[in-house]
Amino acid sequence: EFRRVLFRSAQFDEICVDGKNLLAKPMQFNFFRAPVDNDTMKNEWYQAHLNDHIVKVYETAVSEENNCAVIRVNQSFGWSIHQPFARLQAEYRIDGNGALYIECSAETSNKVEFLPRFGLRLFVPKSFSAVEYYGYGKYESYIDKHLASYIGNFSADISVMHEDYI
């Protein structure tokens, strides 16, 4: 059950199952990762404010289509009076069973040559301890190699999923 959406920032702040909210705080798009010493473009990331951007929502539309609730959002990400570094069109579909489907497209500006990361962050309570996912696994592998991983369905305890790279 999706009870509330913050329309000013176009973020879900509650996703409920059996009356329990699954989100510890509102969801958000992420365009940043902590840089390491060899990230030569990290100054660009900070100058474009990828780490502390502001969301501007230009349009939000809610409708019902094919037995689904549909929320469409047109928004940008940037900082204060600066040109946005990304414009995003997102569509959220919630079917009759409560499944959430997300489609989005992003257009980035020339403020940053290489985005470090683009994704959607869903913050869950610390009491959650297990994860199931479809993707590369079951071991961590560099994104450009995938030598130790393969595509499939995986499950694990969250405590064993940390990779200490530094």
Side-chain angles (χ1 to χ4, degrees):
E1 178 182 341
F2 298 83
R3 290 198 285 205
R4 293 185 356 176
V5 177
L6 300 174
F7 284 101
R8 186 176 186 121
S9 58
Q11 299 171 320
F12 286 95
D13 73 338
E14 285 188 9
I15 298 175
C16 295
V17 174
D18 297 328
K20 181 177 179 174
N21 186 8
L22 301 180
L23 296 180
K25 64 182 189 177
M27 69 168 210
Q28 59 186 229
F29 283 96
N30 183 38
F31 296 91
F32 189 74
R33 71 171 171 80
V36 294
D37 289 342
N38 63 351
D39 285 330
T40 58
M41 66 290 287
K42 66 184 167 191
N43 290 333
E44 285 182 1
W45 300 346
Y46 286 112
Q47 287 173 351
H49 292 276
L50 298 184
N51 60 314
D52 63 353
H53 62 270
I54 296 168
V55 179
K56 291 184 182 176
V57 178
Y58 301 105
E59 181 181 14
T60 304
V62 180
S63 62
E64 182 183 342
E65 298 173 13
N66 301 325
N67 210 23
C68 292
V70 179
I71 302 168
R72 292 185 178 91
V73 179
N74 181 3
Q75 58 194 338
S76 70
F77 303 87
W79 195 71
S80 190
I81 60 171
H82 297 258
Q83 170 192 1
F85 62 81
R87 294 186 184 273
L88 186 121
Q89 290 78 41
E91 178 180 283
Y92 307 94
R93 289 184 169 268
I94 306 155
D95 71 13
N97 296 320
L100 173 64
Y101 301 90
I102 302 171
E103 285 188 34
C104 67
S105 62
E107 181 179 325
T108 58
S109 73
N110 61 356
K111 292 181 72 91
V112 179
E113 191 173 343
F114 297 105
L115 283 176
R117 172 179 291 159
F118 171 65
L120 185 63
R121 299 174 72 187
L122 299 171
F123 301 91
V124 297
K126 291 189 183 293
S127 61
F128 285 25
S129 62
V131 65
E132 291 182 19
Y133 66 96
Y134 174 80
Y136 283 101
K138 70 183 181 178
Y139 304 105
E140 171 64 13
S141 182
Y142 287 112
I143 194 167
D144 60 340
K145 301 206 187 236
H146 298 299
L147 297 177
S149 59
Y150 57 94
I151 291 276
N153 290 309
F154 301 97
S155 62
D157 189 270
I158 291 174
S159 65
V160 301
M161 296 191 73
H162 174 74
E163 295 293 333
D164 195 6
Y165 288 114
I166 303 296

